[in-house]
Amino acid sequence: MPITAEARERLTADAAEIVARYPQPRSALLPLLHLVQSEEGHVSPDGVAFCAEVLDLTTAEVSAVATFYSQFKRRPNGTYTIGVCRNTLCAIMGGDEIYASLAEHLGIVDGQTTTDGMITLERVECNAACDYAPVVMANWEFFDNQTPASARELVDSLRAGEDVAPTRGAAKVCTFKEVSRVLAGFHDGRAGEGLSAGEPTLRGLRLAREQGWDGGPVRTEPAGVGAAAAGEPTPRGGVTSAHDAPPVPARTRRRAGTTAGRPAAQATTGEDAPGSASAADGTEEA
Amino acid sequence: MPTPLTPVLSATWDARDSWTLDAYEKQGGYQALRTALTMEPDAVVALVKDSGLRGRGGAGFPTGMKWGFLPKPDGGPRYLVVNADESEPGTCKDIPLMLASPHVLVEGAIIAAHAIRAAKAFIYLRGEVVHVYRRLLAAVAEAKDRGYLGANILGSGFDLDLVVHAGAGAYICGEETALLDSLEGRRGQPRLRPPFPAVAGLYARPTVVNNVESIASVPSIVANGPDWFSGMGTGKSAGVGLFSLSGHVTRPGQYEAPLGITLRELLDLAGGVRHGHELKFWTPGGSSTPLLTAEHLDVPLDFESVAGAGSMLGTRALQIFDETTSVVRAVLRWTEFYAHESCGKCTPCREGTYWLVQVLRRIEAGKGTEEDIEKLLDICDNILGRAFCALGDGATSPIVSAVKFFRDEFVAGTHTPAWELFPYERSTLFAEVPAR
C-alpha cells in the first residue's frame, strides 16, 4: 500500500514537528520510522524513501537503521503485536508454556500474523516487569502475571474486536498504528488512564508504612502531613515531614531490624511475613 | 537510624494520580528545583559529589564526579541524556518508577542540567513501554506549562528544553555510547572510548549520560542534604536504592532500602522463597552479574561486598530461582538473549555468543560432549575483556558462574536432557495447570 498524496502531506507536517525537536535532523530518524509505521503498519520501501527525503539521507542509510531495531517491521504487522517474554525469568515462570499455547491456539509461530490480520505473535526479550512474571505485551502494554488460559483469552478478545484493558496501561490496548504514532512523540491523550502502580511495585512501600519505617527525612513537606497509619496508605500525604527526622547516623554496616546470622532456612523458605508481622502486605489480597 | 526499608523514590507511588504534577507538588515536588536554582551550578555538582551517590544503572560510577568531568564551558552546547533504556534481564525498577512518578525524573533532570550547564536534555526511553512514554510526554508538557521547563525557569535565567525520545527495541542501546549513536539516528552500536561522552558525547559535544534512578535521586539529595544520603548505606556505597525481587519468591516486587541490605533480609521481607521450595541460585543485579547461591545470603548488597563475593551489584535486580530450576536452561536462555542482542560490531561478541548458544543447546538436550564444558569456558575466556563493550563481558557472567557452582548439571548434559532432570512445568507459577 503506497503512501497516498493526502497521507504524504499529513506526514510531512508531522515530520517537520519531529525534526524541530532535535538540534540535528538525523536524530529524528527513529521517531520518523515510528511515524511511517503509524501510517502503513510497517516500514515499507515508501516509508524508507519518505524518511530519506525528509532527512536528506540515502535509502540505504535509512534501511540500515530500520533493520537494526526490532520494533520496526519489514512486513505488514497485525493490528496487535502479542509479545510473550521468553527471557530466562519469565520463561521459567511459565512464559514458555504461554508461548507454546498461543502458537498452537493461533496456528502461527514467531513473527507470523494470523490470516485475519489481527495478531502478530512474537517472542520478546525482558520488558522490565520481572516482578509481574510471566509477562505478555500487547502492542507494548503490560499484561502481568499471565497464564496460558489468560493469554488465549486476551488474543480471542482482541480478534473479536473487543476493547481489552492492560493490567498497567491505558484504558484499552490501542492498535499497532495508533501506538506507533504515540512512539513518534505525539500525545494521544491517554496518559491519565490506568494505574500508578501494580501491587508488586508497591509492596516495599506498603510494608514500610505498616512497620512505621520512614527511613529518615524524605523531601520537605507542608507541616502536619505525617507518616501514614499502618496498613492504610495516606492519600497524597504519605511522605514523612522533615521536622520529625531522626538525627543522621554515621554510616553503619548493619542496621536495626536485620536478620543476619539466622539459618538460611528461616529466611529462604516458607511464606511467613517478616518478623512477627504476619500477612504484612495483606492489603493486596483485599 | 535508617530503617530496614527506606521509601524515598517509592514514597509517592501510592498517591492518587501520582503521575500528575498536582499530586507531585503536593508531595513536595519541585521544591528541590527551587533550591537548586538558587545555587551556583558547581555547588550543585559538589553537593551531589558529597552525597556519595553512585550510578544506579549498574556500573556504580560516582554521579557527581561524572558531572565534574565535563570540560569548562566553551560557549557551545552541552547535553544531559537520561538513560531510560532499562532492558537488562531481571531489571525492572526504572519502568515502574517512571510510570508512577515521571515528575521526579523530570525534576532531577532539570536540576542535573542546571548543574552541568546544559540547555538541552533528553530522556531516551526504550520503545517497548508505550504507557510510560505517554506519562513522560505528559509530565514534560505539564512541567513546561508551569514554568519548570522552557526559557528563564522560575525567573532564574536558566533555560532548558527536555525531549523524551522513544527507542525502537535494542538492548545494546542501554550502553551509553550506543545510546548516543541511536539518539543521533544511527544503528545503536557502541563507540570506542576515549573520548568519553563527557568530552565528546552527543554530536561530539560534552555530554552526561545518567541512569533514571540516579537522576531521580537528585531532588531528594538536594532537599535533604548530602549528609542525609551518605548517612545511609555502607562504606563507599551510600544511600538507598530500589531492590527488585522477582522469580520464585512469595511476594515479588520493589523494595527500597539502604545499600548493604542482604538477600536474606530482603527475602524475609518478601515472604521467603515460594512455599515448599528453597533457594538454588540468584542474580544480584541482572543477568550480566555472575550468579550467586544460598552461600551468599548474607553478603551486603553494596558495590564492594558483592564484588568481594565474585559478582557485581549491578542494578539490584534480584532474580530468585528455586531448586526446580535447571541452571543449564536458565543460562542457555540468557545466552540466546545476548546472541540476539549482540550488535555485531565486534567479532568476539558476535561470533562468541553464537557458538556459546550452539554448545549450550546440545548440553540442554543431553547431547553435550566431554569437551563441551571446557569449550564453553574457553569461548568465554576469548570474549571477556576482548569485546568492544560490556555486552560481551556480561554474556560470559552467567555461564562461568553457573559452571563454577553447578558443574555437575553441565556434566549431566552429556547424557540426560535438562527437561528430564528438571521437569520444566515444576518451575512455573501455574504448575497445577497442564500447559500443553
Side-chain angles (χ1 to χ4, degrees):
Chain A
M1 187 181 69
I3 296 178
T4 63
E6 177 276 323
R8 172 175 274 283
E9 198 175 320
R10 207 163 14 83
L11 292 176
T12 302
D14 288 340
E17 198 178 314
I18 293 170
V19 171
R21 294 176 201 148
Y22 299 95
Q24 296 191 10
R26 183 163 178 161
S27 283
L29 184 50
L30 265 62
L32 283 175
L33 287 163
H34 283 302
L35 179 72
V36 297
Q37 241 181 198
S38 78
E39 186 65 29
E40 296 197 279
H42 70 300
V43 178
S44 70
D46 267 15
V48 168
F50 175 81
C51 294
E53 191 183 310
V54 169
L55 298 177
D56 195 20
L57 298 172
T58 65
T59 52
E61 286 170 314
V62 174
S63 293
V65 173
T67 54
F68 185 83
Y69 297 93
S70 58
Q71 282 182 288
F72 297 134
K73 306 301 177 190
R74 275 176 276 181
R75 290 186 299 276
N77 202 75
T79 308
Y80 299 98
T81 292
I82 299 297
V84 181
C85 178
R86 303 214 31 211
N87 205 296
T88 297
L89 190 116
C90 273
I92 284 172
M93 305 294 281
D96 280 359
E97 285 75 8
I98 291 170
Y99 180 84
S101 169
L102 280 181
E104 187 192 20
H105 185 65
L106 296 169
I108 53 176
V109 294
D110 195 29
Q112 293 181 336
T113 301
T114 52
T115 50
D116 61 2
M118 291 297 281
I119 305 289
T120 300
L121 181 65
E122 286 185 354
R123 43 185 300 171
V124 298
E125 298 296 0
C126 184
N127 223 89
C130 314
D131 43 349
Y132 297 89
V135 171
V136 171
M137 304 300 293
N139 281 351
W140 312 116
E141 297 271 22
F142 288 109
F143 285 79
D144 301 329
N145 299 118
Q146 293 295 290
T147 65
S150 69
R152 288 193 303 267
E153 195 182 323
L154 164 64
V155 296
D156 287 349
S157 299
L158 290 172
R159 293 183 88 180
E162 294 164 19
D163 287 349
V164 182
T167 319
R168 291 173 295 139
K172 67 163 196 169
V173 179
C174 297
T175 66
F176 181 78
K177 289 182 181 178
E178 289 166 344
V179 164
S180 295
R181 184 170 172 82
V182 175
L183 293 175
F186 293 99
H187 295 265
D188 66 356
R190 294 184 179 274
E193 297 173 0
L195 304 172
S196 293
E199 205 51 46
T201 300
L202 297 174
R203 276 187 174 137
L205 176 62
R206 295 231 202 279
L207 184 57
R209 291 206 199 294
E210 284 160 15
Q211 301 288 329
W213 294 335
D214 55 47
V218 182
R219 314 295 296 276
T220 48
E221 250 304 279
V225 186
E232 201 53 50
T234 307
R236 298 168 188 269
V239 176
T240 311
S241 55
H243 65 261
D244 57 11
V248 174
R251 232 180 270 157
T252 52
R253 195 158 180 84
R254 299 242 59 90
R255 294 155 309 283
T258 62
T259 54
R262 289 171 54 183
Q266 284 185 29
T268 59
T269 60
E271 54 186 358
D272 285 340
S276 58
S278 58
D281 61 347
T283 51
E284 81 200 71
E285 265 81 43
Chain B
M1 193 59 135
T3 48
L5 292 177
T6 47
V8 176
L9 294 171
S10 58
T12 64
W13 293 353
D14 62 345
R16 183 182 301 277
D17 298 339
S18 64
W19 61 88
T20 62
L21 180 53
D22 284 346
Y24 184 62
E25 284 187 332
K26 280 183 181 139
Q27 306 264 11
Y30 290 101
Q31 291 302 319
L33 174 63
R34 292 172 194 276
T35 305
L37 289 176
T38 65
M39 298 167 65
E40 282 300 310
D42 289 348
V44 180
V45 175
L47 184 147
V48 172
K49 268 187 195 166
D50 290 346
S51 75
L53 173 65
R54 292 171 65 176
R56 296 299 193 235
F61 193 83
T63 304
M65 196 183 292
K66 204 173 198 180
W67 296 1
F69 282 158
L70 255 60
K72 293 254 178 283
D74 61 1
R78 303 148 74 85
Y79 299 105
L80 171 72
V81 179
V82 179
N83 184 344
D85 191 58
E86 181 168 67
S87 309
E88 167 77 10
T91 307
C92 51
K93 63 190 182 64
D94 298 337
I95 293 300
L97 184 157
M98 293 183 285
L99 188 68
S101 187
H103 278 287
V104 73
L105 179 63
V106 172
E107 185 183 10
I110 304 168
I111 296 171
H114 166 61
I116 64 165
R117 297 178 167 92
K120 186 99 186 177
F122 297 90
I123 298 172
Y124 184 107
L125 175 72
R126 66 181 299 185
E128 303 105 316
V129 282
V130 68
H131 208 53
V132 175
Y133 190 53
R134 291 189 183 105
R135 291 260 163 100
L136 286 170
L137 285 176
V140 167
E142 281 186 306
K144 199 169 178 182
D145 282 348
R146 210 157 295 184
Y148 296 134
L149 282 169
N152 191 22
I153 295 169
L154 301 174
S156 64
F158 172 58
D159 305 337
L160 181 66
D161 182 37
L162 176 59
V163 174
V164 191
H165 178 95
Y171 167 69
I172 187 63
C173 292
E175 198 280 337
E176 65 176 9
T177 62
L179 186 155
L180 293 174
D181 259 33
S182 178
L183 185 52
E184 291 183 2
R186 298 168 194 281
R187 296 163 74 92
Q189 294 189 315
R191 302 173 178 175
L192 195 63
R193 292 177 296 186
F196 288 91
V199 175
L202 187 64
Y203 314 126
R205 292 294 306 168
T207 302
V208 165
V209 184
N210 281 141
N211 169 258
V212 167
E213 191 185 352
S214 309
I215 292 294
S217 297
V218 170
S220 59
I221 291 171
V222 170
N224 300 307
D227 292 346
W228 162 78
F229 194 78
S230 65
M232 297 182 284
T234 63
K236 291 177 183 165
S237 302
V240 300
L242 293 164
F243 290 83
S244 311
L245 269 78
S246 63
H248 293 134
V249 55
T250 305
R251 288 185 291 276
Q254 305 300 321
Y255 294 83
E256 193 173 7
L259 301 190
I261 194 170
T262 65
L263 180 62
R264 185 189 305 279
E265 291 163 351
L266 283 164
L267 278 175
D268 211 21
L269 297 169
V273 170
R274 69 173 174 159
H275 185 62
H277 294 275
E278 60 187 37
L279 178 64
K280 180 173 175 181
F281 61 92
W282 55 291
T283 66
S287 58
S288 301
T289 60
L291 302 178
L292 296 175
T293 67
E295 289 170 42
H296 306 101
L297 276 165
D298 295 312
V299 173
L301 296 172
D302 59 40
F303 293 105
E304 290 71 29
S305 303
V306 181
S311 187
M312 289 177 282
L313 182 62
T315 51
R316 289 149 280 120
L318 303 151
Q319 304 174 89
I320 309 297
F321 298 94
D322 70 19
E323 84 293 344
T324 65
T325 312
S326 159
V327 76
V328 169
R329 178 193 185 196
V331 167
L332 167 59
R333 195 58 62 88
W334 279 319
T335 307
E336 287 173 335
F337 162 77
Y338 290 109
H340 181 244
E341 298 297 332
S342 174
C343 77
K345 180 163 182 161
C346 75
T347 310
C349 175
R350 182 187 64 241
E351 303 302 319
T353 54
Y354 172 84
W355 286 107
L356 288 170
V357 168
Q358 308 312 309
V359 176
L360 282 165
R361 279 188 182 155
R362 58 179 185 247
I363 293 176
E364 186 197 33
K367 294 175 179 164
T369 66
E370 297 289 324
E371 302 81 36
D372 274 348
I373 298 174
E374 292 318 308
K375 193 185 303 287
L376 280 177
L377 295 176
D378 184 53
I379 297 171
C380 287
D381 190 45
N382 278 296
I383 298 174
L384 184 67
R386 291 175 170 82
F388 204 87
C389 79
L391 189 150
D393 294 347
T396 69
S397 290
I399 297 172
V400 174
S401 56
V403 170
K404 175 173 148 195
F405 294 119
F406 303 101
R407 182 179 275 263
D408 289 352
E409 279 187 43
F410 288 82
V411 173
T414 60
H415 51 74
T416 310
W419 51 82
E420 286 179 16
L421 294 166
F422 298 91
Y424 290 174
E425 67 275 13
R426 289 187 195 162
S427 299
T428 66
L429 275 191
F430 40 81
E432 74 282 4
V433 182
R436 276 168 263 176

